[in-house]
Amino acid sequence: MSNPSTTPMPATLADLVHRLDQARLTGTREEGEEVGTVSTRRYTDPAHWQQEQASLFGQWPIVAAHSSELSKESALPFDALGVPIVLTRAADGRARAFLNVCRHRGMTLVRAGGPEPAKAKPCKALVCPYHAWTYELDGRLRHRLHAQTFEGFDPATLNLVELPCDEAGGLIFVKRTRGEAFSAAAFLQGLDAHLHWMGLPGMTVFRKVDRVYAANWKLTVDAFLEGYHIRVLHRETIYPFFADAYTVNLHAGPHQDSLVARRAAFEAFSPPPDRYALCKLATPTQLVFPNTFLIWHPDYVSLIGMFSPAVDQVRWVHTMLIPPDRTGEDWNAHWEKTFQLIEQTVFQQEDIATAVAIQRGLTSGANTDFHLGRLEHGVLRFHRGIDDAIGGTLVPAGGGACSG
């Protein structure tokens, strides 16, 4: 893990800080160059949803877990992309992904084990609970019960089906479609340097929720791409800590990295030497296209995956990440209270409840388009990115063509 107190701030992040300082000094908000509209069919049309599933969730690297969730010699089931996947980390330390399906008769190899979010299971091999076919954590078939009764079947052709998987910046990425390997660092297009400087690889999980709500997934993404709503929607919760719609934004390919100014930035501003100082001035917020957010609160991080099980549903997976030096019983009460505030109050009762209400309103036909102003330019850019990905003109950096 990079030490944020001794490693120089990446130049692109330092430029964001400088731009925030200039906005503060001049009293000028950064705005987009144009207004625009977003068709409401994007949130209701099953055909458009199918295109997103095929082009985005089927072809792009998707964040499946934080690195700390997958220790050596463990396996973590992951099904948020609509297919059964298992992540493994063998003794060599490499994160891998496979279809979570036995090659004998198709049984699930690693089950989540209840309604709570799945956790990694310590193991040295994957053993099918149906007939005990056994696989190494690198996917190779190790053992078949009564192997002599399977004459004519080449065991080398019965390894687990591997999926493209890579790790960078403290995040494990996977593609749900078989194909060539890709580089997660190249895919992030420079954001991995920001994540390392801020210490993301060294964070650890405190709490995780995994729930489905009645709203299209893009409605929750939209909310996190503009600060225009904070003054109104969050006026009783977090707005007292934030300036009104002062946000600066960096484009890293289709990804977005923003600093949302806090009121403290207008009281005293000096170049932040580390993550903690930066998060007193602003809330860094990264969109890892297409569906993952990192929101840096003053002393912890929200890692949020917004998945799409149906055209009118979002699967909200929120992982609270905390510094490794602030763990243990002495800290549990603090983190529990903090998590309940951000998840149950700000996210569930305000952001998600708004998305659900908008989805209901779409059925009325009152709007055929949403009208976005220059303070909402990040939302327009996100939707154009989706169009370009569906149309094939935007492809993920880092290689890894899929085989279908």
Side-chain angles (χ1 to χ4, degrees):
M1 165 184 162
S2 299
N3 187 338
S5 65
T6 60
T7 303
M9 179 184 288
T12 47
L13 183 55
D15 180 65
L16 273 179
V17 173
H18 174 72
R19 286 163 51 196
L20 186 68
D21 189 24
Q22 293 303 302
R24 173 188 71 89
L25 290 172
T26 62
T28 304
R29 297 176 177 87
E30 288 197 3
E31 301 177 357
E33 297 180 353
E34 59 184 341
V35 300
T37 61
V38 173
S39 171
T40 57
R41 292 182 63 252
R42 295 172 178 266
Y43 307 94
T44 61
D45 181 14
H48 186 78
W49 178 81
Q50 290 286 0
Q51 290 178 313
E52 293 173 350
Q53 288 296 306
S55 299
L56 292 174
F57 293 100
Q59 303 290 331
W60 281 66
I62 301 293
V63 175
H66 182 259
S67 295
S68 69
E69 296 183 74
L70 191 65
S71 59
K72 284 186 179 181
E73 297 188 325
S74 70
L76 174 65
F78 173 72
D79 65 356
L81 291 175
V83 295
I85 296 171
V86 61
L87 307 176
T88 68
R89 196 187 298 278
D92 63 3
R94 177 185 161 193
R96 295 177 173 87
F98 305 94
L99 291 178
N100 191 11
V101 177
C102 181
R103 298 300 310 281
H104 174 213
R105 301 257 299 271
M107 179 61 179
T108 301
L109 293 169
V110 183
R111 289 175 283 191
E116 294 300 313
K119 294 183 179 181
K121 303 176 184 295
C123 59
K124 295 185 181 297
L126 304 179
V127 181
C128 180
Y130 197 5
H131 298 95
W133 279 37
T134 303
Y135 303 86
E136 304 285 1
L137 294 182
D138 63 7
R140 289 175 296 140
L141 178 63
R142 175 203 286 184
H143 171 74
R144 291 174 294 171
L145 187 65
H146 302 306
Q148 71 277 8
T149 67
F150 289 91
E151 67 274 5
F153 295 109
D154 181 0
T157 67
L158 297 174
N159 298 328
L160 295 181
V161 175
E162 188 164 7
L163 300 175
C165 178
D166 198 22
E167 188 171 11
L171 301 172
I172 301 173
F173 294 82
V174 65
K175 290 186 180 182
R176 79 175 188 197
T177 307
R178 284 174 279 181
E180 300 173 2
F182 66 92
S183 166
F187 171 68
L188 287 170
Q189 297 189 253
L191 287 190
D192 58 319
H194 294 202
L195 302 183
H196 275 282
W197 183 82
M198 298 183 75
L200 187 67
M203 296 282 188
T204 188
V205 175
F206 176 75
R207 183 77 74 245
K208 189 172 188 174
V209 296
D210 184 342
R211 294 174 181 161
V212 175
Y213 297 95
N216 183 275
W217 69 284
K218 297 184 296 298
L219 289 173
T220 51
V221 173
D222 293 348
F224 287 87
L225 288 176
E226 47 89 0
Y228 179 48
H229 72 280
I230 295 176
R231 176 177 175 176
V232 179
L233 182 63
H234 303 305
R235 60 186 177 275
E236 302 296 335
T237 52
I238 61 173
Y239 175 61
F241 304 103
F242 285 89
D244 181 18
Y246 278 86
T247 301
V248 293
N249 186 273
L250 166 73
H251 300 160
H255 315 303
Q256 301 189 41
D257 196 352
S258 303
L259 295 180
V260 183
R262 300 175 72 88
R263 292 180 189 245
F266 287 77
E267 298 166 359
F269 194 103
S270 60
D274 56 30
R275 176 184 77 239
Y276 294 107
L278 175 60
C279 291
K280 288 179 181 178
L281 299 175
T283 294
T285 301
Q286 290 110 10
L287 166 67
V288 180
F289 189 86
N291 74 316
T292 300
F293 277 94
L294 288 154
I295 303 172
W296 296 79
H297 310 280
D299 58 351
Y300 68 99
V301 186
S302 289
L303 170 62
I304 304 172
M306 302 172 185
F307 298 93
S308 183
V311 65
D312 57 354
Q313 292 182 341
V314 59
R315 184 170 173 179
W316 170 273
V317 183
H318 175 202
T319 305
M320 182 184 188
L321 300 168
I322 61 175
D325 59 346
R326 299 185 181 187
T327 60
E329 292 185 3
D330 292 344
W331 284 95
N332 284 349
H334 166 75
W335 293 128
E336 194 61 54
K337 180 179 178 181
T338 302
F339 184 75
Q340 297 307 320
L341 173 63
I342 192 66
E343 172 61 27
Q344 294 188 1
T345 303
V346 178
F347 290 158
Q348 290 187 24
Q349 296 180 22
E350 296 175 349
D351 292 304
I352 297 173
T354 296
V356 171
I358 293 171
Q359 191 73 37
R360 285 199 304 267
L362 290 174
T363 63
S364 71
N367 293 302
T368 57
D369 297 281
F370 292 151
H371 301 81
L372 285 78
R374 292 195 302 275
L375 291 174
E376 299 159 300
H377 57 95
V379 180
L380 287 172
R381 186 172 186 275
F382 166 66
H383 284 273
R384 288 168 182 163
I386 291 176
D387 287 346
D388 291 343
I390 290 175
T393 59
L394 176 64
V395 297
C402 294
S403 59

